[in-house]
Amino acid sequence: MAGNEDQDEWSSNSNEAVNISIIRAGADAPTTVSKFHPQFTYPIFGEQESIFGYAGLNVDMRFAAHDLYPNVEIKYEKKYKPVGDTAATDIEKVLKPWMPSSAFASLSSYESRIQSDSGARDFTPPGKLIKSYTSNARSFEIWYGELSDEAVRKLIERMQIFISFFIEAGTPLELDDQEWTLQRWNVYFVFEKFRAPPTPMASSYSIVGYSTSYRFLPYVPVFDSSVDPKTGKQMTAPMQTFNLSDLPSILPSSLPSRTRVSQFLILPPHQNDSHGTHLYNIMVQTFLSDSSCTEITVEDPNEAFDDLRDYCDYISLLRNRSLNPIKLNTSLDPKITARRIGVRVPTSKLVDKSLLESLRLKNKLAPRQFARLVEMYLLSTIPKRSRESGTARLTQRAKASDEGDRAFYYWRLLVKQRIYKKNKESLMQLERTERVDKVEETLGGVIGDYERLLRGVEKRLSNEALGGEDEDPGSGIAGKKDRGKRKTVVDEEDDEDPTVQDQESGKKEAKRLKLVDAE
């Protein structure tokens, strides 16, 4: 076994050793459109993100700009000579499960293919064009297709490795699944379209990013006309049996579904140029126009995608005026909010719950996401002097003479109620004073986050008015939750059971309670 000194001398950081290039045909040889490193390599090379056995190592991965045809070239200055059971990492063997076999052809044959590809000139992305836009005086297009389309599937197969490189804990798609399941996956590609390709044989298209969505079929219980005498609720209809062979052919697109954004990636050279905003917004527009889609959700978003989603959803609600009729009731009887144990202000007294539900369904937003956007909006209607003073101006509580102070007091009650309801089981493990302190602490974090987002919305709208581009907040990744994520509050949108999390050990421990609030 190699000693520690040998390990250090012969180990390479895989994030730095792997070089990704997007290339296209040039006048005499392929030219590089962009070059960058992966953000993660631990799914491929292990948790330490290290490759043993080489000095001066470079793993060059090239992808054709239009159809992502890949090539892997492994170069190094020296290779470790095997000693007993210790040998250099077989890089090609490690990469083979992640790349098609054709990717390991010689570089000369690969470059020859790129230069002589007769299909590149007439290439168009698979699916159908759903949006064209410009950014920084360059042209871009967004194309949409189903995973059941062979051309879509081939493109995804070639870029599957990007999921592991840029989406934390992302999982590659099962491309050999049954047809009915593949039809439930939708794919959205973003391409740059060049006005003048460098050669007559070169393609006009270059990949920018992509996203996928999946149709979940919700369980909708069927009720009969009878009522349970014990509970007074309608009873579910008795189960029925049927033969699938007797049913007509059913397409997934014809069934009511909850649509979940699964993977979302803008490649590093194109981040912070509004592509994430354009992609997310056209996806949402597609979902809204689809009568079979009942709700839009996101699979385990990271912090960067949380921000992108919040900005886009909030601005969309502002533009379609869904937020305008929402009001916070500040004229309640002060007796209702008396400081007595067991006294609680019903949420229905603070806001019109039936109105909120109708607006939520209209915009197809998940309950947690819509509740947060409503809270942001209501906070924005409260004068800054009341918001910025914290609790200093709330000594009179509901009896405050200043309407802004009363509004801030009732707004805090509204948010506290949501936090408490979501975390009731966990909070009940604490003493009452500890419960109050924990909810107050979480509320402070929520207020700070909302204020930050509202400033971002104001900046985005201002940039837009001046004809500038949005800067997507790290729109490159959205997948499983980040390792070492800094957020102190977490939320699983579809999980109504509160969790107690210990950030260091992951053990459930009431003393280190992390309250569930935002995704």
Side-chain angles (χ1 to χ4, degrees):
M1 179 177 290
N4 290 335
E5 292 184 4
D6 284 344
Q7 286 280 358
D8 293 339
E9 178 184 355
W10 291 99
S11 294
S12 304
N13 183 303
S14 51
N15 292 342
E16 298 173 359
V18 174
N19 306 292
I20 303 170
S21 300
I22 306 298
I23 67 169
R24 61 176 177 172
D28 301 309
T31 60
T32 300
V33 178
S34 59
K35 190 172 184 177
F36 47 95
H37 294 286
Q39 185 168 359
F40 315 109
T41 52
Y42 68 89
I44 301 171
F45 293 106
E47 194 67 28
Q48 299 302 316
E49 297 184 319
S50 177
I51 302 174
F52 174 74
Y54 303 88
L57 177 65
N58 282 287
V59 181
D60 295 330
M61 294 185 175
R62 299 175 177 85
F63 296 85
H66 63 295
D67 65 0
L68 292 164
Y69 191 80
N71 176 259
V72 178
E73 182 189 21
I74 302 168
K75 299 183 296 184
Y76 50 87
E77 296 172 1
K78 293 188 296 181
K79 184 175 180 179
Y80 183 82
K81 294 181 180 179
V83 177
D85 294 334
T86 305
T89 301
D90 188 337
I91 300 174
E92 184 171 325
K93 182 179 179 181
V94 171
L95 289 175
K96 276 187 175 179
W98 304 86
M99 303 284 282
S101 57
S102 58
F104 299 95
S106 68
L107 177 61
S108 59
S109 63
Y110 177 76
E111 290 183 336
S112 175
R113 182 191 186 281
I114 295 297
Q115 287 294 102
S116 62
D117 183 2
S118 59
R121 180 180 57 188
D122 300 321
F123 171 87
T124 56
K128 65 178 180 179
L129 176 65
I130 57 174
K131 182 173 183 177
S132 300
Y133 64 95
T134 59
S135 178
N136 297 323
R138 294 158 66 180
S139 299
F140 299 87
E141 295 179 351
I142 300 177
W143 292 70
Y144 155 83
E146 289 185 352
L147 200 57
S148 56
D149 182 334
E150 184 179 354
V152 170
R153 212 159 50 246
K154 180 178 291 186
L155 206 56
I156 288 293
E157 179 185 14
R158 290 173 176 174
M159 63 196 307
Q160 287 270 56
I161 198 167
F162 289 163
I163 297 172
S164 298
F165 280 161
F166 297 104
I167 298 181
E168 179 73 22
T171 304
L173 302 183
E174 293 288 344
L175 301 181
D176 58 353
D177 216 328
Q178 57 185 337
E179 184 76 6
W180 201 81
T181 299
L182 294 176
Q183 290 174 356
R184 293 162 68 182
W185 282 101
N186 292 328
V187 184
Y188 301 80
F189 297 108
V190 185
F191 279 89
E192 179 173 6
K193 186 173 185 182
F194 299 106
R195 293 185 175 88
T199 70
M201 295 293 291
S203 173
S204 300
Y205 289 94
S206 179
I207 191 69
V208 170
Y210 82 108
S211 182
T212 61
S213 67
Y214 185 75
R215 293 174 174 270
F216 279 92
L217 305 181
Y219 168 68
V220 181
V222 178
F223 296 95
D224 61 19
S225 58
S226 58
V227 176
D228 188 325
K230 293 183 179 180
T231 63
K233 297 181 179 179
Q234 278 186 296
M235 298 178 66
T236 55
M239 294 182 61
Q240 299 180 11
T241 59
F242 55 86
N243 294 319
L244 289 174
S245 59
D246 296 337
L247 296 177
S249 177
I250 300 175
L251 294 175
S253 58
S254 67
L255 298 173
S257 63
R258 297 172 73 242
T259 300
R260 171 169 289 184
V261 179
S262 178
Q263 299 157 332
F264 193 100
L265 171 64
I266 301 298
L267 294 178
H270 298 283
Q271 290 176 20
N272 299 316
D273 281 331
S274 80
H275 302 298
T277 296
H278 285 291
L279 177 55
Y280 180 80
N281 282 339
I282 194 61
M283 291 176 70
V284 170
Q285 290 175 31
T286 303
F287 303 149
L288 290 175
S289 63
D290 181 359
S291 59
S292 68
C293 173
T294 61
E295 189 174 285
I296 305 166
T297 64
V298 176
E299 180 181 351
D300 294 333
N302 64 13
E303 290 180 58
F305 190 83
D306 270 338
D307 282 357
L308 174 68
R309 181 191 186 192
D310 287 343
Y311 286 136
C312 291
D313 286 349
Y314 189 80
I315 291 173
S316 176
L317 293 179
L318 287 178
R319 287 178 172 155
N320 68 21
R321 301 183 179 276
S322 290
L323 296 172
N324 290 17
I326 301 174
K327 308 294 180 186
L328 181 66
N329 185 6
T330 61
S331 303
L332 284 86
D333 184 345
K335 293 180 181 178
I336 299 179
T337 60
R339 191 187 293 272
R340 285 182 289 145
I341 296 176
V343 174
R344 185 177 69 84
V345 181
T347 303
S348 58
K349 295 286 187 182
L350 297 171
V351 289
D352 187 337
K353 292 179 68 175
S354 61
L355 171 65
L356 294 185
E357 182 62 6
S358 66
L359 292 172
R360 184 188 76 81
L361 293 174
K362 172 187 173 183
N363 290 281
K364 301 185 180 181
L365 291 170
R368 187 69 49 201
Q369 175 70 355
F370 186 68
R372 294 179 63 254
L373 297 175
V374 168
E375 290 167 2
M376 278 178 57
Y377 171 72
L378 291 175
L379 181 64
S380 74
T381 65
I382 299 172
K384 284 191 175 182
R385 67 176 185 278
S386 298
R387 289 150 46 187
E388 293 173 351
S389 61
T391 58
R393 296 169 61 97
L394 301 182
T395 55
Q396 296 299 311
R397 297 160 60 83
K399 296 180 180 179
S401 58
D402 186 281
E403 187 173 348
D405 293 346
R406 285 202 313 277
F408 192 45
Y409 169 72
Y410 284 123
W411 181 88
R412 286 167 53 88
L413 279 184
L414 178 69
V415 181
K416 282 182 179 181
Q417 284 186 11
R418 181 174 64 80
I419 294 172
Y420 186 85
K421 290 175 184 176
K422 185 72 175 177
N423 297 274
K424 185 176 181 180
E425 182 180 325
S426 300
L427 286 167
M428 293 309 293
Q429 301 174 41
L430 307 178
E431 296 294 330
R432 182 177 182 277
T433 53
E434 289 182 286
R435 290 201 300 269
V436 172
D437 290 344
K438 185 57 66 175
V439 171
E440 189 69 33
E441 175 190 336
T442 302
L443 175 65
V446 171
I447 293 173
D449 199 43
Y450 286 173
E451 293 285 10
R452 176 185 63 82
L453 289 168
L454 288 170
R455 289 193 296 270
V457 168
E458 185 177 352
K459 180 181 178 182
R460 281 177 163 238
L461 294 176
S462 177
N463 284 344
E464 187 176 290
L466 296 172
E469 297 289 345
D470 294 332
E471 290 188 5
D472 294 334
S475 61
I477 50 176
K480 299 294 183 182
K481 287 183 172 61
D482 293 344
R483 296 178 292 169
K485 194 172 180 179
R486 295 183 303 278
K487 251 183 185 175
T488 59
V489 288
V490 295
D491 176 26
E492 295 294 338
E493 183 174 84
D494 304 314
D495 183 2
E496 291 303 319
D497 295 324
T499 57
V500 183
Q501 298 188 359
D502 180 326
Q503 191 171 8
E504 295 181 3
S505 66
K507 296 179 180 178
K508 294 187 175 181
E509 184 180 352
K511 291 182 180 180
R512 305 189 67 176
L513 183 68
K514 302 295 182 183
L515 295 192
V516 177
D517 172 65
E519 261 185 354

